[in-house]
Coordinates of all heavy atoms in Angstrom, one line a residue:
D1 N 5.6 17.1 15.2 CA 7.0 16.6 15.3 C 7.3 15.6 14.2 O 6.4 14.8 13.8 CB 7.2 15.8 16.6 CG 7.2 16.8 17.8 OD1 7.6 18.0 17.6 OD2 6.8 16.4 18.9
H2 N 8.5 15.7 13.6 CA 8.9 14.8 12.5 C 10.0 13.9 13.0 O 10.9 14.3 13.6 CB 9.4 15.7 11.3 CG 10.1 14.9 10.3 ND1 9.4 14.0 9.4 CD2 11.4 14.8 10.0 CE1 10.3 13.5 8.6 NE2 11.5 13.9 9.0
H3 N 9.9 12.7 12.6 CA 10.9 11.7 12.9 C 11.7 11.4 11.6 O 11.1 11.1 10.6 CB 10.3 10.4 13.5 CG 9.5 10.6 14.7 ND1 10.1 10.9 15.9 CD2 8.2 10.7 14.9 CE1 9.1 11.0 16.8 NE2 8.0 10.9 16.3
D4 N 13.0 11.5 11.7 CA 13.9 11.2 10.5 C 13.7 9.9 10.0 O 13.5 8.9 10.7 CB 15.4 11.4 10.9 CG 15.7 12.9 11.2 OD1 15.0 13.7 10.7 OD2 16.8 13.1 11.8
D5 N 13.7 9.8 8.6 CA 13.6 8.5 7.9 C 15.0 7.9 7.9 O 16.0 8.5 7.3 CB 13.1 8.8 6.5 CG 12.9 7.5 5.7 OD1 13.4 6.4 6.2 OD2 12.2 7.5 4.7
P6 N 15.2 6.7 8.5 CA 16.6 6.2 8.6 C 17.1 5.6 7.2 O 18.3 5.5 7.0 CB 16.4 5.0 9.6 CG 15.0 4.7 9.6 CD 14.2 5.9 9.3
H7 N 16.1 5.3 6.3 CA 16.5 4.7 5.0 C 15.8 5.3 3.9 O 15.0 4.7 3.2 CB 16.2 3.2 5.1 CG 16.8 2.4 6.2 ND1 18.2 2.3 6.4 CD2 16.3 1.9 7.3 CE1 18.5 1.6 7.5 NE2 17.3 1.3 8.1
P8 N 16.0 6.6 3.6 CA 15.3 7.3 2.5 C 15.6 6.7 1.1 O 14.7 6.6 0.3 CB 15.7 8.7 2.6 CG 17.1 8.7 3.3 CD 17.0 7.5 4.3
F9 N 16.8 6.3 0.9 CA 17.2 5.8 -0.5 C 16.6 4.4 -0.7 O 16.1 4.1 -1.8 CB 18.7 5.8 -0.7 CG 19.3 7.1 -0.9 CD1 19.8 7.9 0.1 CD2 19.3 7.7 -2.2 CE1 20.3 9.1 -0.1 CE2 19.8 9.0 -2.4 CZ 20.3 9.7 -1.3
R10 N 16.6 3.6 0.4 CA 16.0 2.3 0.3 C 14.5 2.4 0.0 O 13.9 1.7 -0.9 CB 16.2 1.5 1.5 CG 15.7 0.0 1.4 CD 15.8 -0.7 2.8 NE 14.8 -0.1 3.8 CZ 14.8 -0.5 5.0 NH1 15.6 -1.5 5.5 NH2 13.9 0.0 5.9
E11 N 13.8 3.3 0.7 CA 12.4 3.5 0.5 C 12.1 4.0 -0.9 O 11.1 3.7 -1.6 CB 11.8 4.4 1.5 CG 11.8 3.8 2.9 CD 11.0 2.6 3.0 OE1 9.9 2.5 2.5 OE2 11.5 1.6 3.6
S12 N 13.0 4.9 -1.4 CA 12.8 5.5 -2.7 C 13.0 4.4 -3.8 O 12.2 4.3 -4.8 CB 13.8 6.6 -3.0 OG 13.7 7.1 -4.3
W13 N 14.0 3.5 -3.6 CA 14.2 2.4 -4.5 C 13.0 1.4 -4.5 O 12.5 1.0 -5.6 CB 15.5 1.7 -4.2 CG 15.7 0.4 -4.9 CD1 15.6 -0.9 -4.4 CD2 16.0 0.3 -6.3 NE1 15.8 -1.8 -5.4 CE2 16.1 -1.1 -6.6 CE3 16.2 1.2 -7.4 CZ2 16.4 -1.6 -7.9 CZ3 16.5 0.7 -8.6 CH2 16.6 -0.7 -8.9
L14 N 12.5 1.1 -3.3 CA 11.3 0.2 -3.2 C 10.1 0.8 -3.9 O 9.3 0.1 -4.5 CB 11.0 -0.1 -1.8 CG 12.0 -0.9 -1.0 CD1 11.7 -1.1 0.5 CD2 12.1 -2.3 -1.7
T15 N 10.0 2.2 -3.8 CA 8.9 2.8 -4.5 C 9.0 2.7 -6.0 O 8.0 2.4 -6.7 CB 8.9 4.3 -4.2 OG1 8.7 4.5 -2.7 CG2 7.7 5.0 -4.9
L16 N 10.2 2.8 -6.5 CA 10.4 2.7 -8.0 C 10.2 1.2 -8.4 O 9.4 1.0 -9.4 CB 11.9 3.1 -8.3 CG 12.3 2.9 -9.8 CD1 11.4 3.8 -10.7 CD2 13.7 3.2 -10.0
T17 N 10.7 0.3 -7.7 CA 10.5 -1.1 -8.1 C 9.0 -1.6 -8.0 O 8.6 -2.5 -8.7 CB 11.4 -2.1 -7.3 OG1 11.1 -1.9 -5.9 CG2 12.9 -1.8 -7.6
S18 N 8.3 -0.9 -7.1 CA 6.9 -1.3 -6.9 C 6.0 -0.8 -8.0 O 4.8 -1.3 -8.1 CB 6.4 -0.7 -5.6 OG 6.2 0.7 -5.7
I19 N 6.5 0.0 -8.9 CA 5.6 0.5 -10.0 C 6.0 0.1 -11.4 O 5.2 0.3 -12.3 CB 5.6 2.1 -10.0 CG1 7.0 2.7 -10.2 CG2 5.0 2.6 -8.7 CD1 7.0 4.2 -10.3
L20 N 7.1 -0.5 -11.5 CA 7.6 -1.0 -12.9 C 7.0 -2.3 -13.2 O 7.0 -3.2 -12.4 CB 9.1 -1.0 -12.9 CG 9.8 0.3 -12.7 CD1 11.3 0.1 -12.8 CD2 9.4 1.3 -13.8
P21 N 6.5 -2.5 -14.4 CA 6.0 -3.8 -14.8 C 7.0 -5.0 -14.6 O 8.2 -4.8 -14.8 CB 5.7 -3.7 -16.3 CG 5.5 -2.2 -16.5 CD 6.4 -1.5 -15.5
G22 N 6.5 -6.1 -14.0 CA 7.4 -7.2 -13.7 C 7.9 -7.1 -12.3 O 7.6 -7.9 -11.4
L23 N 8.6 -6.0 -12.0 CA 9.1 -5.8 -10.6 C 8.0 -5.5 -9.7 O 8.1 -5.8 -8.5 CB 10.1 -4.6 -10.6 CG 11.4 -4.8 -11.4 CD1 12.3 -3.5 -11.4 CD2 12.2 -6.0 -10.8
S24 N 6.9 -4.9 -10.2 CA 5.8 -4.7 -9.3 C 5.2 -6.0 -8.7 O 4.7 -6.0 -7.6 CB 4.7 -3.9 -10.0 OG 4.2 -4.6 -11.1
W25 N 5.3 -7.0 -9.5 CA 4.7 -8.3 -9.1 C 5.6 -8.9 -7.9 O 5.1 -9.5 -7.0 CB 4.7 -9.3 -10.2 CG 3.6 -8.9 -11.2 CD1 2.6 -8.0 -11.0 CD2 3.5 -9.4 -12.5 NE1 1.9 -7.9 -12.2 CE2 2.4 -8.8 -13.1 CE3 4.2 -10.3 -13.3 CZ2 2.0 -9.0 -14.4 CZ3 3.8 -10.6 -14.6 CH2 2.7 -9.9 -15.2
L26 N 7.0 -8.6 -8.0 CA 7.8 -9.0 -6.9 C 7.5 -8.3 -5.7 O 7.6 -8.8 -4.6 CB 9.3 -8.8 -7.3 CG 9.8 -9.6 -8.5 CD1 11.3 -9.2 -8.8 CD2 9.7 -11.1 -8.2
T27 N 7.1 -7.0 -5.8 CA 6.7 -6.2 -4.7 C 5.4 -6.8 -4.0 O 5.3 -6.9 -2.8 CB 6.5 -4.8 -5.1 OG1 7.7 -4.2 -5.6 CG2 6.0 -3.9 -3.9
L28 N 4.5 -7.2 -4.9 CA 3.3 -7.8 -4.3 C 3.6 -9.1 -3.6 O 3.0 -9.4 -2.5 CB 2.3 -8.0 -5.5 CG 1.6 -6.8 -6.1 CD1 0.7 -7.2 -7.3 CD2 0.9 -5.9 -5.1
L29 N 4.5 -9.9 -4.1 CA 4.9 -11.1 -3.4 C 5.5 -10.8 -2.1 O 5.2 -11.4 -1.1 CB 5.8 -11.9 -4.3 CG 5.2 -12.7 -5.5 CD1 6.4 -13.3 -6.4 CD2 4.3 -13.8 -5.0
R30 N 6.5 -9.8 -2.1 CA 7.2 -9.5 -0.9 C 6.3 -8.9 0.2 O 6.5 -9.2 1.4 CB 8.3 -8.5 -1.2 CG 9.2 -8.1 0.0 CD 10.3 -7.2 -0.5 NE 9.8 -6.0 -1.2 CZ 9.4 -4.9 -0.5 NH1 9.4 -4.8 0.8 NH2 9.0 -3.8 -1.2
L31 N 5.2 -8.2 -0.2 CA 4.3 -7.6 0.7 C 3.1 -8.5 1.1 O 2.2 -8.0 1.8 CB 3.8 -6.2 0.2 CG 4.9 -5.2 0.0 CD1 4.3 -3.9 -0.6 CD2 5.6 -4.8 1.3
K32 N 3.2 -9.7 0.6 CA 2.1 -10.7 0.8 C 0.7 -10.2 0.5 O -0.2 -10.1 1.3 CB 2.1 -11.1 2.3 CG 3.4 -11.8 2.7 CD 3.4 -12.2 4.2 CE 4.6 -13.0 4.6 NZ 5.9 -12.3 4.4
A33 N 0.7 -9.7 -0.8 CA -0.6 -9.2 -1.3 C -1.7 -10.2 -1.3 O -1.4 -11.4 -1.5 CB -0.4 -8.6 -2.7

């Protein structure tokens, strides 16, 4: 069974920002790395 993703574009944007230099550090901060 598959459950629909309620925020696919938000998750896609978070994926992009998590891999770009500089922005990836903000992701680490947000996720409490």
Side-chain angles (χ1 to χ4, degrees):
D1 289 334
H2 166 74
H3 301 286
D4 288 340
D5 186 341
H7 305 292
F9 286 94
R10 185 185 69 184
E11 293 301 316
S12 178
W13 171 251
L14 290 175
T15 299
L16 178 61
T17 57
S18 71
I19 60 177
L20 297 178
L23 293 177
S24 63
W25 293 344
L26 296 178
T27 300
L28 292 179
L29 284 172
R30 182 173 57 82
L31 296 177
K32 297 181 174 61

